Amino acid sequence: MSDATGDPQRPLVSVRDLKVQFAVAGGRQVVRAVDGVSFDIHRGETLSLVGESGSGKTTVGQALLGVVPIAEGEMRIGDVSLPARTAADRRRLRRSAQMIFQDPYSSLNPRMRVGDIIAEPLRANGIGATRGERQKRVAELLGLVGLPADAADLLPHEFSGGQRQRIGIARAIATEPDFIICDEPVSALDVSIQAQIVNLLGGLQKRLHLTYLFIAHDLAVVRYVSSRIAVMYLGKIVEIGTRDEVIRNPSHPYTQALLAAVPGIDPAREATRQGVMLGGEIPSPINPPSGCAFHPRCPLAEARCSREVPRPHRLSATHQAACHLLADASEPSKG
Amino acid sequence: MRIRTLGAIALAASVMLAGAAAAETPQRGGVLIQAYVTEVTSMDAHQARAGDSRVMLGPYAAYLVYVDSEGNFLPGLATGWEWESETQLRLDLREGVTFHDGTPFNAEAVAFNVDRIAGRTEPAIVSPGAADMRAVTGIEIVDDLTIRLSFDQVRAGFIQQLGAYWAGMLSPTAIEEMGEGFALAPVSAGPFRVTEYRPGAFVTYERFEDFYGVDEHGEQLPYLDGMRLMILPDNASRAAALQAGDIHLDQRVEAAQVMQLEADPNINIVEIPGFNARWIAFNTGLPPMDNVHVRRAIIHAINPEEVNMALHQGRAAAANQFFSPTSWAHDPDAPWLEYSPEKAREEMALAGFPDGFSFSAAHYGGPWRAEAELIQSQLRRVGIDMQVDAMDLASFSQLYRRDAVYHAGFTGHPMTARDPAHLFHAFHHSTGAFADPSRTTVYDEVIDRALLTLDDAERGAVLSEAFRMVYERAGEAYYIWVPAHRAFRHDVRGYALFSDGTSDCVTCWLAR
Amino acid sequence: MRDVAVRLVAGPLEIVSLIVILLLVAAAVAAPLLAPFDPAAADGFNTLRGPSSRNLLGTDFLGRDVLSRLIYGAQVTAAVAIGSVAISILFGVPLGLVSGYFKGLTDTVIMRFIDALYAFPPLLLSLVLVAMLGPSMYNVMIAVGVIMIPTFCRLARAQALVVSAQTYVVAAQTIGTPAHRIILWHLWPNIAAPVIVQLTIGMAWAILAEAALSYLGVGVRPPTPTWGVMLAEGFQYLRINPWLSFIPGMAIFLTVFALNILGDALRDGLDPRLRN
Ligand SMILES: Nc1ncnc2c1ncn2[C@@H]1O[C@H](COP(=O)(O)OP(=O)(O)OP(=O)(O)O)[C@@H](O)[C@H]1O
Ligand SMILES: [Mg+2]
């Protein structure tokens, strides 16, 4: 689904028709983890990618970083087209794009000192020729994420979850990247700490002019951090729009269901959400349902939903959703 | 008692074994379980390569002539033999004998067997008896039961060779029909037929109803219904199996087990004194072993009595020549180099190694392992360093005998397996099967002379001449004559041995 | 590391095991000082004697001092245990790490080779190897080391598969850390603990393998004493003097037992789950 903002400025990140597939069961079956995803991210903004577990969010991020091979589609970060073909491009990409991981425990090597963990991207990318230079930079980074400089000599298990996530953030910003993929950076943390990390990410974004792809499985956190929100279901983006458009005017039944699960949101269209509670489980991406992949769980589903794949429907210049019902309702005017 | 002939020649005293009271009447039936230390190289008698194969071959293979433990020739498939001239031998064959497969035994069959051993049949085989049978230059089938063999020259000791382990008379039809498979299901005319043979594991035998042999009362032999022979390479396990009653008979008891078995009241031990000669063969072609003083130093440094006491509980005897007193070829007056560390040091000085020297030796396990280790320690006391390598027989044959890369090899021979001149030939003639790796020809003339001398006394004198040559060259280091032992449980009766120390159990029976 | 040390000596069994191993090492290192006699000096007129004030553990079938042979035998035992395990770790662990990290074709090729190695009965393979290389202590080390390569390779591979699925390895990949450094920095330190535990088991196994090879007569060249040789020789005189095989057998048993106990203790000590 294309994101035609009409902005004359070229987006920092651009993804078109991305498909990622994994062979499973010894190559006899294919998981369509990402099945035709398109979006742009502009410099300095935060695009949130929301969806249930298994919808393919992480895979999108990993495709952007070149950790998983892509089956189809075009991607670009800055000037570099993906997958990067030359070694120079790869090096540039690694410096300019980084990732923050969901699990602050498994994402830090338990047997490496914090200083070495943070210095790893510097060593890997040949930044900071000497050990002294790297140590200085590590101290600086620790300061940026709000950790004391002597943390460098400790092992990860000596820190709390929130502190460990700060270490992960320090590692991600070490190479001064433009673009950071935050893969559910707070969902493993205590609620009381989530806000601190979200604030830290927000502060760093301003200070370092960062662009974020912020992955989350619910809309609770996302509403504070996002410029725009994309909702993913079974490898496809079903709705994308600015934060307010998606939160206040959720147009896809799936988005509505996700919002219904978030306490404290006071949307304008209370009525439409009634009965839109998400039942059942997300189907397997090995054998996705026919037509609209959401139809088996959709309370509003009609006969054609199981037959035809819905096309993205433009609700505003920045807001689109893929649902047959919208097409009906808006065919005469709406726009 | 072992009876083969009209003349009823009983086997000598050594076969009258404890528990086998002469008055006892043999009981028929039962399966005798015996064990042996090692596998035959082939169950095809013609192609077996070691004298002790007779343990496994004997029960099924029938021979023209048998040699008892006293060295007497007993009629087998041949009832008579006569040198009609110095180079012509007539054999009278036993009447009414058939092979296990029903093929009649006759002069035709003997001719086939002689030719096959000589390597003259298709496909040609390689038999250890090839040289003996190639000496047969003419075969005349006089009638069905009479055959005349002609020789290129005088062949002293040929009759004895007819009793050698490889000289079994095998069924010509079975050989032709089975080809390669013959070795797995061999057919002859012996007291038992082979019913199953698992190489490396066991052989089972079944009584051959039509066996020609009878005992002194005219009773059909054998008494047993069958036998099972198991290969149990571990000496201690074999002894333990015997004591536990899992086997009736152990056809090879090593010195280390003798004491243990002697203490067991259920077990009888047979001792065959002076049976095995053990010695170190020198590769006289490889320096420093080419130096006679080096060789003498080694011989003087070996203390045979210590080997005897440590490893044979004093049952063995220090050796001083190739033949032990059990052989008629033994020379009581032969000179030898006695144990003397002083003389060893003198010889070392003469050799130019007053502070010692080093040499390599090989052996192929068995009793040599311990003996080599003890002798190694003895040599070290005078400063001689012997590096010992253990290997299997095949490697030994290749590395020591063929490639001649070792200075010395531990070897030995059983005393009475063959005619003495033939045995001496095998180890000393440049064409002998086990000759010094340097293939020295120094003994060839005297050996050839011995082989051409038909009279035993004269032949003994020629052999004594050869012994003196060995002494003068210090050509090999004899150190010990070791008795052989067999052991069986008390319920086994009638166990008798051939001259080569094996038994086919034809007269064995189980008392119940 | 202190945790590990504490855990190692946590119980009486562990303390005894540690003492056994230290005694073995001490005997191996100081054999010439400790042994009362030349372990190879035979005395054929003084064989198979029981313990006496001269020969504290008696004499063997060639009249050699059993105590001296036991002490010198510790040298070979220790050397073979350490040497062969070192060989198998040196080859097995890197192969397993590479195999488990790269997966795919690399994995297939390496594991084919390892499986082929593993398909041989281990003792038979080392027998063949020693027969090919010739009898010496170093060749026994090589032969025993080679047959343990698959064990270490498979262990390292299985662990590498687990560890390379960890997010910190994905993180390292996104950072751009080269494969060899990922293996060195991230995989190896995190699989070291099970390898160390396997090391003690491997040593125990190597001691038994050396004993078996010596028992079969293809091990270390005589007259060098090894416990396996002593056991094999003693076995021939089991009924007459059971001590001859009991003493080296006990030495082998105690060492193997101690190594197993220490292996268990190490596993507990090195397990991060048990750490906090
Ligand atoms: N390496 C892989 N091999 C096979 N299948 C994979 C692999 N990685 C992901 N998948 C599958 O692809 C689908 C999408 O996975 P992904 O991790 O991208 O989802 P997600 O939206 O990030 O979920 P979560 O919220 O659980 O992180 C899932 O069905 C997952 O099982
Ligand atoms: Mg995810």
Side-chain angles (χ1 to χ4, degrees), chain B residues 142-163:
Chain B
V142 181
D143 60 44
D144 206 35
L145 296 175
T146 313
I147 189 165
R148 186 173 288 127
L149 306 177
S150 323
F151 297 84
D152 52 346
Q153 57 179 38
V154 176
R155 287 285 164 172
F158 184 81
I159 306 286
Q160 176 143 4
Q161 296 302 81
L162 290 178

Side-chain angles (χ1 to χ4, degrees), chain A residues 57-58 102 183-184:
Chain A
K57 310 177 298 287
T58 298
Q102 172 175 6
D183 189 359
E184 310 202 30

Side-chain angles (χ1 to χ4, degrees), chain C residues 161-176:
Chain C
L161 281 174
V162 172
V163 173
S164 56
Q166 296 287 317
T167 317
Y168 56 81
V169 175
V170 179
Q173 288 165 344
T174 63
I175 282 162

Side-chain angles (χ1 to χ4, degrees), chain B residues 167-430:
Chain B
M169 291 290 117
L170 308 179
S171 162
T173 34
I175 287 172
E176 263 153 33
E177 277 166 19
M178 290 194 267
E180 298 263 302
F182 183 83
L184 290 175
V187 178
S188 179
F192 298 92
R193 61 160 99 225
V194 174
T195 50
E196 190 180 0
Y197 168 43
R198 282 280 171 76
F202 64 84
V203 196
T204 53
Y205 307 92
E206 188 183 83
R207 169 189 155 79
F208 176 42
E209 299 292 341
D210 298 328
F211 180 57
Y212 65 83
V214 292
D215 70 8
E216 71 263 50
H217 306 296
E219 292 283 323
Q220 172 75 45
L221 290 171
Y223 306 117
L224 294 167
D225 285 343
M227 288 201 297
R228 183 181 177 83
L229 187 148
M230 302 194 295
I231 313 287
L232 297 177
D234 185 68
N235 299 331
S237 318
R238 236 174 21 256
L242 186 65
Q243 287 189 291
D246 295 337
I247 58 173
H248 296 104
L249 170 63
D250 182 352
Q251 295 262 35
R252 169 83 161 257
V253 178
E254 290 302 335
Q257 278 73 45
V258 169
M259 260 201 280
Q260 165 190 338
L261 292 179
E262 265 177 348
D264 190 324
N266 294 315
I267 285 166
N268 284 327
I269 295 219
V270 192
E271 180 163 298
I272 312 168
F275 184 78
N276 289 300
R278 301 259 177 70
W279 44 285
I280 302 171
F282 294 135
N283 177 3
T284 54
L286 188 65
M289 213 46 86
D290 56 344
N291 184 329
V292 67
H293 297 293
V294 161
R295 304 196 295 261
R296 280 198 193 131
I298 293 169
I299 298 170
H300 279 305
I302 295 173
N303 182 350
E305 203 42 41
E306 188 184 358
V307 179
N308 184 15
M309 293 313 292
L311 299 172
H312 303 283
Q313 292 85 44
R315 290 167 214 274
N320 66 0
Q321 58 186 285
F322 194 75
F323 294 102
S324 79
T326 49
S327 168
W328 61 257
H330 176 78
D331 178 359
D333 303 322
W336 192 236
L337 303 150
E338 77 288 1
Y339 166 60
S340 163
E342 298 73 38
K343 287 191 179 166
R345 289 199 184 86
E346 283 169 26
E347 294 291 344
M348 284 162 68
L350 287 173
F353 301 112
D355 301 323
F357 58 88
S358 188
F359 73 99
S360 60
H363 68 74
Y364 52 97
W368 287 286
R369 185 181 305 283
E371 288 171 6
E373 215 170 328
L374 181 51
I375 289 172
Q376 180 181 49
S377 184
Q378 292 177 350
L379 295 178
R380 215 149 53 96
R381 288 175 207 151
V382 298
I384 300 172
D385 169 40
M386 176 171 75
Q387 295 282 322
V388 184
D389 279 347
M391 55 195 68
D392 58 25
L393 180 54
S395 311
F396 183 84
S397 302
Q398 181 169 339
L399 295 175
Y400 175 70
R401 296 210 189 282
R402 202 195 69 194
D403 300 348
V405 298
Y406 284 92
H407 292 108
F410 281 79
T411 184
H413 58 275
M415 213 40 67
T416 47
R418 288 170 143 194
D419 173 78
H422 281 82
L423 190 57
F424 196 82
H425 172 277
F427 285 94
H428 299 88
H429 197 277
S430 61

Side-chain angles (χ1 to χ4, degrees), chain A residues 225-276:
Chain A
V225 300
S226 318
S227 320
R228 288 185 304 124
I229 298 174
V231 179
M232 257 190 107
Y233 188 78
L234 219 58
K236 290 190 163 72
I237 290 180
V238 295
E239 182 164 357
I240 186 167
T242 64
R243 175 181 62 180
D244 289 345
E245 281 166 343
V246 173
I247 302 264
R248 294 196 192 290
N249 185 22
S251 304
H252 195 283
Y254 181 60
T255 316
Q256 291 164 6
L258 285 181
L259 273 169
V262 181
I265 289 192
D266 179 31
R269 297 166 62 185
E270 184 77 32
T272 54
R273 290 210 327 276
Q274 273 178 2
V276 190

Side-chain angles (χ1 to χ4, degrees), chain A residues 19-22 30-35 55 234-235 285-286 288:
Chain A
K19 290 187 182 174
V20 180
Q21 295 170 355
F22 298 108
V30 168
V31 178
R32 301 173 176 280
V34 178
D35 199 21
S55 54
L234 219 58
I286 295 176

Side-chain angles (χ1 to χ4, degrees), chain C residues 181-200:
Chain C
R181 286 202 183 152
I182 292 183
I183 290 173
L184 210 64
W185 290 349
H186 296 290
L187 297 197
W188 165 241
N190 286 292
I191 71 150
V195 169
I196 288 169
V197 173
Q198 183 65 38
L199 179 146
T200 59

